[in-house]
Amino acid sequence: MYCLAVLGGPILFVLQAFGQVWYAMPAALAAVPITALTLLMIWRILLWLDGFHARGFILAPLVMGFIWGATVWPGLSMWANDHVTRVVTNLGGDAFAVNWQAAISAPIDEELIKAIGIAVVAVLFRPLLTRPMHGLLLGGFVGLGAQIAEDCLYSTQTALLSPQHPASDTIIVALLRLITAFTSHWAMSALAGVGIVVLMSRTDRPWSWRLGMFAMFYLLAVAMHVIFDAPHPPGPGLLVIFLPVLVDAAIFTIAYRWVLGTERQWFRGVIALPAARALGPEANLSALLTAGGRRNARAALRYSLRMSRGQAKRYERDLLARLEALPLAEQPQG
């Protein structure tokens, strides 16, 4: 299913948008540096959120998730948005559709297409994806692929609709999307990924709990998308632009704190394992539980062993990698 989708997605996209891309591509290329900056920025945010380096052994699913978002999502979402928008127009009328079609159609079909990709990759790598943080990273990379593809599509649309100053208008739109990228597709599907991985991995919990957690996180992702695309209320221009971003950031932060709590719970269980004692005393390993504790531990390494800042960080990463490499059967669930 994954391979067929990755092959068919670009074909569906080309069938719908070939003319737009062909005529607008030269001017749209002006936005490539800003889109690349968006990619780098969100990638760094995802790595920063992964404080315990859960990504170390799930690089393949993360790459496959990004590919799904970048190749499958654009063509399917264009097709689905067109059909859902027609339904919204037929039911609510033209005036209603102008204001609400994006806030209705996109959360329904775009989040569903990303969630399908998350679920497919999660099934393929089910033994490796055992913690909520794995789901957040997988969903984040699926959404990042979708976000970069959408930014490229917006660049061609802007260039096509701006015959007088296509390059400059494309750069302005790309900058605006960079500013609002902090709570865009990657953050929405990251929450959906948490729900999907919890549903699949927490076999120690009853089905009712797992389904409830999946529903809650998926609906949070949908709610973030509705808020992001809903008609802007009247008010000062900057407030109108940033208010949805701030609300979505608050939702994501609350959900992330729960995920971070499960990571700390997992880490406490790992450092209590007999196999972890060969890596260091449990009391010393517990210093890695918080960002402040890590800073203090790195400072102690630099003082006692005369390590540089980079050497201390590499030592910390290697230690976390060795803890991640402990046999999965012995590790506690997040």
Side-chain angles (χ1 to χ4, degrees):
M1 179 179 178
Y2 178 90
C3 293
L4 288 175
V6 168
L7 291 173
I11 295 174
L12 182 60
F13 175 79
V14 169
L15 291 175
Q16 298 174 93
F18 175 78
Q20 169 183 318
V21 174
W22 177 262
Y23 288 107
M25 180 61 70
L29 290 175
V32 168
I34 301 171
T35 302
L37 179 60
T38 303
L39 172 63
L40 179 62
M41 180 185 72
I42 301 304
W43 176 68
R44 292 298 301 171
I45 290 175
L46 283 167
L47 298 189
W48 177 73
L49 293 173
D50 179 25
F52 292 93
H53 291 256
R55 60 189 178 273
F57 291 88
I58 60 168
L59 294 180
L62 297 185
V63 171
M64 291 178 67
F66 180 86
I67 292 172
W68 178 284
T71 61
V72 180
W73 181 87
L76 277 180
S77 64
M78 287 181 67
W79 178 84
N81 276 330
D82 182 56
H83 287 75
V84 175
T85 297
R86 291 180 186 178
V87 173
V88 173
T89 302
N90 291 336
L91 293 178
D94 292 335
F96 177 82
V98 167
N99 292 323
W100 286 98
Q101 62 185 11
I104 295 175
S105 62
I108 292 174
D109 54 67
E110 293 182 7
E111 292 307 316
L112 177 60
I113 295 166
K114 289 187 293 180
I116 292 172
I118 297 168
V120 169
V121 176
V123 168
L124 291 173
F125 294 92
R126 187 169 183 174
L128 297 180
L129 303 174
T130 59
R131 291 156 31 208
M133 180 58 74
H134 293 152
L136 186 140
L137 291 172
L138 175 57
F141 273 86
V142 171
L144 178 56
Q147 190 164 332
I148 297 305
E150 187 176 69
D151 284 356
C152 294
L153 184 60
Y154 265 73
S155 295
T156 60
Q157 289 176 345
T158 303
L160 196 65
L161 297 174
S162 304
Q164 294 183 341
H165 308 285
S168 58
D169 290 347
T170 298
I171 291 174
I172 292 172
V173 170
L175 285 172
L176 181 60
R177 291 187 63 80
L178 171 64
I179 294 171
T180 58
F182 291 98
T183 58
S184 189
H185 282 292
W186 72 273
M188 300 164 191
S189 56
L191 297 190
V194 172
I196 291 170
V197 168
V198 167
L199 176 64
M200 295 179 57
S201 66
R202 290 305 302 265
T203 54
D204 60 317
R205 292 280 193 162
W207 269 104
S208 57
W209 184 87
R210 292 156 66 184
L211 287 171
M213 292 297 289
F214 163 73
M216 180 181 69
F217 276 96
Y218 185 77
L219 291 176
L220 283 176
V222 172
M224 286 180 65
H225 210 142
V226 172
I227 294 169
F228 194 87
D229 285 339
H232 292 159
L238 289 178
L239 177 63
V240 166
I241 292 174
F242 287 108
L243 183 60
V245 175
L246 294 175
V247 174
D248 280 352
I251 295 173
F252 181 85
T253 300
I254 293 171
Y256 172 73
R257 288 185 64 85
W258 180 83
V259 174
L260 184 59
T262 65
E263 283 290 277
R264 288 174 175 163
Q265 180 183 357
W266 166 83
F267 190 78
R268 290 189 185 96
V270 167
I271 62 178
L273 293 174
R277 294 173 186 167
L279 303 178
E282 183 178 338
N284 292 342
L285 293 175
S286 63
L288 302 177
L289 272 169
T290 64
R294 291 176 194 171
R295 285 194 297 270
N296 293 336
R298 291 195 298 268
L301 287 173
R302 294 171 60 194
Y303 176 77
S304 60
L305 301 179
R306 304 302 179 185
M307 288 185 176
S308 67
R309 188 183 302 271
Q311 289 174 327
K313 286 186 176 181
R314 284 193 295 272
Y315 179 85
E316 177 186 296
R317 287 196 299 267
D318 291 342
L319 182 57
L320 288 170
R322 292 197 293 272
L323 289 169
E324 288 274 353
L326 292 177
L328 289 174
E330 297 182 16
Q331 292 188 20
Q333 291 183 296

